[in-house]
Amino acid sequence: MGKRRGRRSYDQPGGFWRQEFGGMPLWGIVGAFALLVALGVGTVLAMPAQSNADPNQQPRPVPTFSFSNGQPDRAQVVFIGDSYTGGSGEDSGPDARWTTLLDNDLNLAATVLARGGSGYVNEGPVGPPLPTLADEIPSTADLIVIMGSRNDDDADDVQDAANAMYDAVRVKAPNARVLIIGPPWTSSDVPDSIIDINAALSEAAAAHGFDFVDPTETGLLADRDDLIGADGVHPNDAGHVAIADFVRPLVQERIPSED
């Protein structure tokens, strides 16, 4: 009986890939070839692309984006005064007061500094005279409105106190515009003391380059019982609307423009 022929290696499982060529199995040759191809492709992809751009041309800037709502910064307005500014029991609360009405109407960033019963000179039941409030003015204020006060009585003392306060205001907020509004009166028969106080405040304001408005000359609140509370002194809600209507154009003229 003749010799039995052995099976070819590629007839066995995996035998085809185990065939040797030049001492290296076929699977090794194929793997090495695949590796060389991968390296070649990677090299080509890593090469810088050719460009026909002018080498002397400046590169375009990287674009920037703003996610703001496009609204301008709100004007920072400080309101200083007595209970005509801070409110009293004759109105229905902060939302009804003229400072809040202007804050909402003109989209302001408003600060209200007020002490009921206090004047430039006289101390009220809730704190010292108004000039001490200058310490609380933010240095970044755009406009400062100081109103009052019917709580004072001596015009000479008021003028001295006003000069000192206006000095402090200018140091505290050197870039702010300042509007001084004298004390209004609730009748057309304005007392001499209020007339003299308005005159004194006008002189002090002029000496500092500040604007001054005398509300008694326009008849603000005068002989208008419908604008005054039951105490006969303080404005009610309708009175605060009247004050807001009076002050609004004065503020609009002096705050930064949105243009």
Side-chain angles (χ1 to χ4, degrees), residues 84-106:
Y84 265 58
T85 299
S88 72
E90 300 303 316
D91 60 65
S92 61
D95 289 344
R97 293 165 188 163
W98 67 269
T99 51
T100 304
L101 297 178
L102 292 186
D103 186 22
N104 294 334
D105 291 350
L106 302 179

Side-chain angles (χ1 to χ4, degrees), residues 1-255:
M1 195 172 178
K3 232 183 210 182
R4 193 173 172 189
R5 278 175 123 183
R7 296 180 62 189
R8 292 175 299 178
S9 60
Y10 49 81
D11 288 335
Q12 300 174 8
F16 177 77
W17 293 106
R18 288 201 299 268
Q19 294 182 82
E20 294 185 357
F21 296 87
M24 178 179 288
L26 180 59
W27 65 265
I29 296 173
V30 172
F33 180 77
L35 178 61
L36 290 174
V37 171
L39 291 175
V41 171
T43 301
V44 171
L45 292 178
M47 291 177 62
Q50 295 291 327
S51 173
N52 295 322
D54 182 356
N56 297 318
Q57 184 178 5
Q58 293 296 322
R60 293 182 179 179
V62 177
T64 59
F65 301 91
S66 173
F67 295 95
S68 67
N69 58 13
Q71 301 239 345
D73 292 337
R74 295 185 297 165
Q76 297 186 53
V77 180
V78 181
F79 297 105
I80 300 176
D82 53 26
S83 55
Y84 265 58
T85 299
S88 72
E90 300 303 316
D91 60 65
S92 61
D95 289 344
R97 293 165 188 163
W98 67 269
T99 51
T100 304
L101 297 178
L102 292 186
D103 186 22
N104 294 334
D105 291 350
L106 302 179
N107 193 30
L108 306 175
T111 300
V112 179
L113 305 174
R115 289 201 183 110
S118 292
Y120 279 88
V121 176
N122 293 334
E123 182 174 335
V126 296
L130 301 180
T132 59
L133 292 172
D135 293 337
E136 300 180 34
I137 297 174
S139 61
T140 54
D142 296 303
L143 174 65
I144 300 167
V145 180
I146 305 174
M147 184 177 184
S149 168
R150 60 180 290 152
N151 297 316
D152 289 315
D153 43 39
D154 186 276
D156 291 336
D157 290 343
V158 167
Q159 187 165 351
D160 291 341
N163 279 319
M165 181 181 187
Y166 301 164
D167 285 342
V169 166
R170 181 47 69 222
V171 170
K172 188 68 176 181
N175 298 318
R177 297 191 67 174
V178 182
L179 170 64
I180 309 300
I181 302 176
W185 200 250
T186 55
S187 75
S188 55
D189 185 15
V190 183
D192 289 343
S193 60
I194 296 297
I195 294 174
D196 292 343
I197 286 172
N198 273 301
L201 293 175
S202 178
E203 290 184 23
H208 289 78
F210 297 165
D211 298 327
F212 175 80
V213 175
D214 182 350
T216 65
E217 293 182 348
T218 67
L220 175 66
L221 305 180
D223 301 323
R224 292 289 305 272
D225 293 342
D226 58 317
L227 304 181
I228 304 300
D231 67 356
V233 174
H234 294 95
N236 56 22
D237 287 0
H240 277 281
V241 171
I243 297 174
D245 291 342
F246 174 76
V247 178
R248 184 181 292 105
L250 302 175
V251 170
Q252 286 178 305
E253 294 169 4
R254 292 167 174 82
I255 56 177

